[in-house]
Amino acid sequence: MTPARSLDFRFLKAHVTVERVLEARGLLASLRLRGNNLVGPCPIHGGDAPNGFVVSRAKNLWYCFTRCRAGGDVVDLVCLLDRSSYRETALYLASLAGATAHRPAPPPPAFRPFTARLDLNPRAPFLASKGICPATARAFDCGLFRGSGFLEGCVAVRLHDPRGQPLGYAGRILDPDRARHGKWKLPARLPKRSLLFNYHRAHGHPHRGLVVVEDPWSVMRLAQLRIPAVALLGTALSSEQAALLAPCSRILLMLDGDAAGRLAARDLLARLAPTQVGVAELPDRLDPDQLDDHDLEAICRLFLPALAHHKA
Ligand SMILES: [Zn+2]
């Protein structure tokens, strides 16, 4: 059975608008109405061209005229924003449509964790370019996958559930052509909404505070500075992820310096209250892993003063 048939994409496309998805993520505020279209910077690639992204409300389609040079329907949009599989996307859209009650689908096959450890090359030039040294990559079970199959041509990094049980590997696609419609490969049916990358290592000292970033690379860079961090693997925060962060006394949001990162930070700031939350707004087009160690550390210690007492 194809996912399309079991989850009825035609029904979901007819019942969930592109506008509704953008609204649910707090992304609507950056768009403005022009005729019957919504126009604004592209939330997918995080562009800043004010007319780069257009939503046709009449056709329920979107298009990015700048970097993505791509468009599609509501399913394509969620797949790109969340880097999610078709099944995850369908379940998410069904939740927005309130559709599950009307269309009982057979229960999805359960996620099967992949527990074996892969042999990865921690000396990948991609990691070096992010300032991640081989020892750190090794400690995070991260490196270039040299075999064939699902992770072929990817820099892979191991994922764990919140208790530290291995779930498998996420793969960052290095070939820019293959990465055009999403940079990440995730295991099928990965329970992405209930995990935060590195949570099992970082959450042990809630009084120290926690830095929340988008990608594993920033987590590893911060680990080299002994600063505890978790990654969202994107910009969306699920209610399960928010619950994991709730016990933390102070949180610093350090998302990428683009429109998507800024909008997400605003959304997260509202949703994580009453935890003490700071937002580090990075300059345009700058991601945390592009900062040098000195700046990265200075920003974190400014927002999370308790870190100072634990410096090794
Ligand atoms: Zn775009």
Side-chain angles (χ1 to χ4, degrees):
M1 182 164 42
T2 64
R5 194 173 300 161
S6 63
L7 288 158
D8 204 342
F9 279 94
R10 203 187 305 166
F11 177 87
L12 294 170
K13 286 178 195 176
H15 285 78
V16 185
T17 62
V18 168
E19 191 173 356
R20 175 75 187 93
V21 168
L22 294 170
E23 183 196 18
R25 281 122 202 282
L27 296 172
L28 209 50
S30 70
L31 304 179
R32 59 194 194 286
L33 205 51
R34 200 172 65 188
N36 196 29
N37 291 343
L38 291 163
V39 179
C42 174
I44 297 163
H45 79 264
D48 48 18
N51 300 321
F53 184 77
V54 176
V55 176
S56 162
R57 297 162 93 202
K59 295 180 181 156
N60 200 28
L61 296 172
W62 59 273
Y63 197 87
C64 166
F65 289 93
T66 48
R67 196 188 313 168
C68 302
R69 297 223 163 254
D73 55 31
V74 70
V75 174
D76 303 314
L77 179 69
V78 173
C79 284
L80 287 171
L81 282 176
D82 287 0
R83 299 160 177 170
S84 56
S85 68
Y86 277 118
R87 175 169 288 274
E88 290 167 321
T89 298
L91 292 173
Y92 171 73
L93 289 173
S95 75
L96 286 187
T100 39
H102 310 297
R103 296 270 165 151
F111 169 72
R112 282 244 218 85
F114 172 80
T115 54
R117 171 176 276 141
L118 296 177
D119 180 29
L120 301 170
N121 177 11
R123 298 183 182 279
F126 175 85
L127 293 172
S129 76
K130 301 273 179 197
I132 296 163
C133 61
T136 309
R138 228 175 268 122
F140 278 83
D141 274 316
C142 175
L144 183 65
F145 182 66
R146 286 170 287 197
S148 59
F150 175 65
L151 292 170
E152 188 171 349
C154 289
V155 168
V157 59
R158 203 171 202 189
L159 304 172
H160 300 81
D161 74 9
R163 290 169 305 141
Q165 300 301 313
L167 298 176
Y169 288 79
R172 167 68 159 80
I173 300 168
L174 297 184
D175 176 5
D177 271 348
R178 279 176 65 209
R180 222 151 43 95
H181 295 294
K183 293 176 185 167
W184 288 90
K185 283 189 150 192
L186 296 175
R189 298 182 289 280
L190 177 77
K192 180 168 170 273
R193 298 173 67 84
S194 61
L195 66 96
L196 288 164
F197 176 80
N198 200 43
Y199 180 81
H200 65 294
R201 298 185 191 97
H203 81 291
H205 305 278
H207 56 282
R208 290 177 66 188
L210 206 55
V211 183
V212 175
V213 296
E214 290 185 32
D215 287 323
W217 324 125
S218 307
V219 168
M220 288 186 234
R221 281 289 309 282
L222 289 164
Q224 290 175 175
L225 300 168
R226 298 178 179 276
I227 296 172
V230 297
L232 297 169
L233 302 174
T235 54
L237 180 79
S238 69
S239 49
E240 294 97 320
Q241 290 169 323
L244 289 173
L245 294 173
C248 207
S249 60
R250 265 176 102 96
I251 288 171
L252 171 60
L253 298 174
M254 197 190 276
L255 306 186
D256 293 351
D258 56 32
R262 294 211 178 95
L263 284 167
R266 229 177 291 157
D267 172 50
L268 266 53
L269 191 59
R271 298 198 24 225
L272 289 171
T275 307
Q276 273 196 291
V277 186
V279 177
E281 270 214 3
L282 300 189
D284 274 349
R285 288 181 236 282
L286 213 56
D287 301 344
D289 58 57
Q290 291 167 294
L291 295 173
D292 66 31
D293 279 352
H294 177 268
D295 291 347
L296 205 49
E297 187 163 24
I299 293 171
C300 292
R301 293 193 191 283
L302 186 68
F303 281 93
L304 302 174
L307 289 173
H309 306 301
H310 294 267
K311 184 154 191 196

